[in-house]
Amino acid sequence: MYNILRAILFCFDPEWVHYFSMNSLKLFCKVPFAKKLLSSAFVVNDVRLEKKAFGLNFKNPVGLGAGFDKNARYLNELEALGFGFVEIGTVTPLAQAGNDKPRLFRLPKDKALINRMGFNNDGVEVIVQRLQKVKSRKEKLKIIIGGNIGKNKVTPNEDAWKDYEICFLKLHDYVDYFVVNVSSPNTPGLRELQEKDSLRKILTTLQTADSKFSNSKPILLKIAPDLNEAQIDDVINLALEIKLDGLVVSNTTIVRDNLQTTTAELEKIGVGGLSGKPAKERSTSIIQYINPKTNGQIPIIGSGGIFTGNDAKEKLTAGSSLVQVWTGFIYEGPGIVKNICLSLLK
């Protein structure tokens, strides 16, 4: 049934479809008992799926990556679809519109997306207010919430650490873990912050800030799949040195190799981060590289090209503790978490 619905939805602009679909789901969940009905159809409850990572207990290892619920608008609905955790953001100190539209593109032949959203979000103050309402609900959400944080486009790189600290401090009471995003290809110069000295400044600033709270929060780093071996080694060495809580492997790629989509179509789309099936092999290979080098000391969230239970198993076997979907959710539909969880139980 979703295949028919997807064929219809794919006739329209991807970004419009995203908000139309999620707002429709939100409206449906406002009907009495609708969320319970949805949960009964999509949630798999089984203690064998439970995972513990960086001090948190996850009801299942399947999460939704950052960029889908940028502004923490759909946590209630995403919980009803069975996700073990949802990462909001990327959140920046100030609201920003992001890059010009169109900025999200489908590559159906490759089961992929290209996006150049540019950290469009409502800003940390508005998002905190939204999370406050979520936390104050009578019916508490049980889903784990991650906070993916970044810098504003206008903030120079030498001051980037200040933006990350602002978001960290303001979100600290409302999210369960943090992900430092320095690896999006859609904010000019951002990936330069993946260099060791810049990373050290950002991460140690956040660790110092975290130490002042009575309830410390795990801090993870999201890396690009386009790092070379020496750069990955720098990340590993720094992570071990400062006792980083975890890594997210990996973000979208700027590489366009071996795609079924024609060169002409790609040139028409232009720049942006590629996600989906073409990103699977590279992200898995990085996990396979990092895990033995750290003796499994650093928990990894595997992300990139996860559509099926076998894709998830591949990431978990490679050494990740948890997995995140995004593009797979678009192509496979609302049953993706259930299908992966059932496959993991076999």
Side-chain angles (χ1 to χ4, degrees):
M1 185 175 177
Y2 179 70
N3 288 341
I4 297 168
L5 180 60
R6 183 181 64 196
I8 297 168
L9 292 175
F10 273 28
C11 295
F12 299 93
D13 173 73
E15 193 170 347
W16 179 86
V17 167
H18 170 77
Y19 289 110
F20 171 78
S21 302
M22 292 311 298
N23 287 334
S24 298
L25 187 63
K26 194 179 186 76
L27 198 61
F28 175 74
C29 283
K30 287 182 178 178
V31 176
F33 305 110
K35 185 185 176 184
K36 285 186 179 179
L37 186 67
L38 207 62
S39 296
S40 67
F42 292 111
V43 175
V44 180
N45 289 309
D46 194 304
V47 292
R48 292 173 294 169
L49 290 168
E50 293 175 4
K51 284 271 188 174
K52 185 164 186 176
F54 35 88
L56 297 174
N57 296 309
F58 296 80
K59 67 180 181 182
N60 71 58
V62 187
L64 182 61
F68 193 94
D69 190 10
K70 289 174 177 289
N71 295 304
R73 289 182 177 274
Y74 308 114
L75 293 168
N76 182 53
E77 295 70 36
L78 293 167
E79 182 182 57
L81 295 181
F83 286 99
F85 61 107
V86 171
E87 212 169 283
I88 64 162
T90 298
V91 182
T92 56
L94 303 175
Q96 54 184 31
N99 295 321
D100 293 338
K101 298 178 182 179
R103 55 195 180 181
L104 180 61
F105 308 88
R106 304 183 193 96
L107 280 62
K109 294 173 193 170
D110 296 290
K111 284 200 166 182
L113 297 172
I114 289 175
N115 92 81
R116 52 169 176 272
M117 304 301 287
F119 287 178
N120 57 305
N121 74 107
D122 293 338
V124 72
E125 297 284 359
V126 170
I127 292 169
V128 162
Q129 288 172 15
R130 210 164 275 142
L131 289 171
Q132 284 172 337
K133 288 179 183 175
V134 169
K135 295 284 183 181
S136 64
R137 284 169 43 130
K138 186 189 287 187
E139 186 187 342
K140 303 291 184 191
L141 293 184
K142 295 181 180 135
I143 198 165
I144 284 179
I145 303 170
N148 188 296
I149 56 177
K151 80 171 189 73
N152 281 114
K153 186 176 181 179
V154 296
T155 303
N157 275 4
E158 57 267 27
D159 293 329
W161 64 272
K162 297 177 184 176
D163 277 15
Y164 288 93
E165 185 180 39
I166 289 167
C167 292
F168 184 83
L169 293 172
K170 289 186 180 294
L171 286 168
H172 198 277
D173 288 340
Y174 306 102
V175 301
D176 300 297
Y177 71 91
F178 284 91
V179 176
V180 174
N181 188 354
V182 290
S183 52
S184 168
N186 301 317
T187 296
L190 185 76
R191 285 190 167 190
E192 293 168 14
L193 296 174
Q194 291 181 113
E195 296 303 321
K196 197 172 182 180
D197 289 343
S198 298
L199 268 184
R200 185 194 303 277
K201 174 66 175 172
I202 294 168
L203 295 172
T204 55
T205 295
L206 299 186
Q207 287 179 325
T208 300
D210 189 57
S211 68
K212 294 172 183 174
F213 287 89
S214 57
N215 56 334
S216 65
K217 299 290 169 76
I219 300 168
L220 288 74
L221 172 68
K222 187 169 191 174
I223 64 172
D226 308 317
L227 297 178
N228 60 39
E229 197 170 287
Q231 290 171 317
I232 295 172
D233 286 340
D234 278 347
V235 168
I236 291 170
N237 293 335
L238 179 61
L240 290 171
E241 178 192 329
I242 68 172
K243 295 182 172 58
L244 192 66
D245 294 297
L247 296 169
V248 180
V249 182
S250 57
N251 213 319
T252 57
T253 179
I254 58 173
V255 174
R256 302 286 190 268
D257 295 342
N258 304 314
L259 297 179
Q260 299 298 311
T261 306
T262 66
T263 303
E265 288 174 284
L266 292 171
E267 286 176 353
K268 187 178 178 182
I269 289 170
V271 299
L274 175 74
S275 61
K277 283 288 185 189
K280 184 175 84 159
E281 190 176 319
R282 177 58 179 162
S283 66
T284 302
S285 68
I286 296 174
I287 296 167
Q288 288 170 330
Y289 181 80
I290 292 174
N291 194 54
K293 282 231 168 189
T294 63
N295 293 317
Q297 291 178 58
I298 301 175
I300 296 170
I301 299 178
S303 177
I306 299 170
F307 286 63
T308 66
N310 285 337
D311 295 334
K313 286 175 186 175
E314 188 179 285
K315 289 283 191 289
L316 295 167
T317 302
S320 63
S321 303
L322 306 163
V323 295
Q324 280 179 337
V325 301
W326 203 115
T327 305
F329 187 26
I330 305 300
Y331 281 90
E332 297 298 312
I336 187 170
V337 180
K338 180 180 180 179
N339 292 337
I340 290 174
C341 286
L342 291 176
S343 178
L344 293 177
L345 289 171
K346 287 180 182 176

